[in-house]
Amino acid sequence: MYRRTTTLLALGLVGQMMTVPFALAGESGGKTAQQYMVDVTEPNPPWTGPTTGPAAQKGKSIVYVSADQRNGGALGVADGVQEAASAIGWTVRVLDGQGTVSGRSTALQQAIALKPDGIVLGTVDAKEQAELIRQAADAGIKIVGWHSVTKPGPSAEYKLFNNIATDPLEVAKAAATFAVTDSDGKAGVVIFTDSTYAIAIAKSDAMAAVIKACSGCKVLSVEDTPLAEASTRMPQLTTSLLQRFGNQWTYALSINDLTFDFMSASLSSAGIAQDGYPRNVSAGDGSEAAFQRIRTKFYQSGTVAEPLHLHGWQAVDELNRAFAGQPASGFSAQVHLVIPKNISSDGGPKNIYDPENGYRAVYTRIWKGR
């Protein structure tokens, strides 16, 4: 067993340390990495969100501006926003940025022109669209982001009433710790990121920090490739990485499931068994395709799936708090890693992570003033 201990300053967790491969010092009770994996894969996590808040503000209209509706995360949150808007009695419109900077700008301009009461940004990077977000805020529009800045919570800098996300550093930690424990501390890792998004860089840096803390593990490469171009880039990039690293490459960690949508053909052509190596684990979203791959053990071992529908409901609740002149809820959903052994719970049969904790009923009660 390796005993070297390395401080994970890159995770922003000062004093939290990881003894690789099996101990996570700084965790409650001296938790081991295996115990941590049990926690993040536990089915039916309890509701830890708000139970009180303002009653529904009547007659509001909102617009959901998606960075790219081909992205399973942005699409899932859009579904949740529409469902929640119906429950609270608001009108909602969805605009698609279609995966380009110009497309996102156009969609946000259209949203502002509609003069809604609120806007939800679905993975629209707040720094990229800072000027248009400022224009919206100056027009009196309340703005909630989903994965729009690197951390959950309000952002005065970017005029966001709240930014909704599972803590990206915890998401990264869960994905990378899976590689460490699953490999018995011997993982050879390629990390895929997209520097278009600040949150992507934060996650890939954090994953790299966990792997580098493992004395028997190695970060083989960090590949910066645009998610919007995954369909054209990933097949050849996968082949090139296989040629470059061969059997050293045992785990692939990505900031999004979309990366793995376009790797299987190249892995299959190279003679890689669908449940073989490299094992693919995503630090984010939990797309329908990812669930299908994990269930059948088809070139994906896990995804740190975010509760997309819950996040859509939370976005509506946060806007309701903003309309009522109340502060943001402070809620950030806990991390959950979907793997074959727990995929039959919490929405897994429907190819989505949808916690079975009654969140819809809780939010509905709040909005009804009960």
Side-chain angles (χ1 to χ4, degrees):
M1 179 183 296
Y2 297 98
R3 294 292 183 183
R4 187 179 70 176
T5 301
T6 304
T7 305
L8 300 183
L9 295 176
L11 289 181
L13 302 172
V14 177
Q16 184 175 66
M17 303 177 72
M18 184 183 210
T19 304
V20 185
F22 298 123
L24 284 171
E27 294 283 351
S28 176
K31 189 175 297 182
T32 68
Q34 283 87 347
Q35 290 169 333
Y36 173 75
M37 282 290 99
V38 169
D39 288 348
V40 298
T41 58
E42 190 72 25
N44 304 319
W47 174 245
T48 57
T51 56
T52 61
Q57 305 299 292
K58 303 296 185 181
K60 301 300 182 181
S61 64
I62 63 174
V63 178
Y64 180 82
V65 179
S66 172
D68 188 350
Q69 284 294 84
R70 296 169 298 181
N71 182 311
L75 177 62
V77 175
D79 291 342
V81 167
Q82 291 173 299
E83 187 181 68
S86 177
I88 202 172
W90 297 349
T91 61
V92 60
R93 182 169 176 179
V94 177
L95 300 176
D96 187 1
Q98 300 181 334
T100 66
V101 175
S102 61
R104 290 187 285 272
S105 296
T106 298
L108 193 47
Q109 288 169 348
Q110 291 174 345
I112 295 169
L114 290 170
K115 298 181 179 180
D117 297 292
I119 291 175
V120 179
L121 304 174
T123 70
V124 174
D125 188 275
K127 184 176 182 180
E128 174 193 280
Q129 300 294 332
E131 176 58 25
L132 285 173
I133 294 172
R134 183 192 63 77
Q135 290 179 25
D138 288 348
I141 300 170
K142 304 298 184 183
I143 305 163
V144 166
W146 181 74
H147 286 204
S148 292
V149 294
T150 57
K151 295 181 179 180
S155 174
E157 179 181 5
Y158 291 110
K159 312 296 184 182
L160 301 181
F161 177 77
N162 202 7
N163 179 62
I164 298 170
T166 303
D167 187 334
L169 302 184
E170 287 296 314
V171 169
K173 175 183 172 183
T177 303
F178 174 88
V180 172
T181 57
D182 189 64
S183 69
D184 197 25
K186 301 172 185 176
V189 179
V190 172
I191 298 172
F192 296 96
T193 191
D194 180 354
S195 59
T196 303
Y197 304 101
I199 193 170
I201 294 299
K203 287 199 289 188
S204 57
D205 285 351
M207 287 190 286
V210 172
I211 300 303
K212 290 175 181 177
C214 168
S215 60
C217 301
K218 185 177 182 180
V219 176
L220 300 173
S221 178
V222 177
E223 299 292 328
D224 184 2
T225 184
L227 289 172
E229 300 175 20
S231 62
T232 56
R233 289 186 177 230
M234 285 308 303
Q236 180 54 47
L237 179 56
T238 301
T239 299
S240 176
L241 290 166
L242 288 170
Q243 293 171 345
R244 181 178 172 189
F245 296 115
N247 292 335
Q248 295 180 68
W249 183 17
T250 55
Y251 290 82
L253 301 177
S254 176
I255 49 88
N256 191 283
D257 291 304
L258 189 64
T259 303
F260 302 139
D261 287 354
F262 306 101
M263 287 180 65
S264 59
S266 298
L267 293 171
S268 179
S269 295
I272 306 295
Q274 67 182 47
D275 60 349
Y277 296 91
R279 291 182 173 171
N280 297 332
V281 183
S282 169
D285 291 357
S287 69
E288 179 176 346
F291 271 78
Q292 292 172 340
R293 286 191 294 267
I294 293 165
R295 182 180 297 106
T296 59
K297 300 181 181 179
F298 185 78
Y299 298 114
Q300 187 161 351
S301 296
T303 181
V304 186
E306 296 210 58
L308 304 176
H309 288 179
L310 186 160
H311 279 167
W313 280 72
Q314 184 184 353
V316 169
D317 182 68
E318 299 294 352
L319 283 176
N320 193 55
R321 292 167 191 270
F323 298 150
Q326 295 193 14
S329 71
F331 171 53
S332 179
Q334 62 199 81
V335 169
H336 184 74
L337 174 65
V338 175
I339 55 177
K341 75 174 185 179
N342 66 10
I343 201 168
S344 62
S345 301
D346 297 299
K350 296 180 180 179
N351 296 320
I352 190 169
Y353 173 47
D354 198 18
E356 296 173 0
N357 55 19
Y359 69 87
R360 290 176 175 87
V362 173
Y363 279 128
T364 300
R365 282 197 300 271
I366 291 172
W367 300 337
K368 289 183 178 180
R370 296 177 182 173

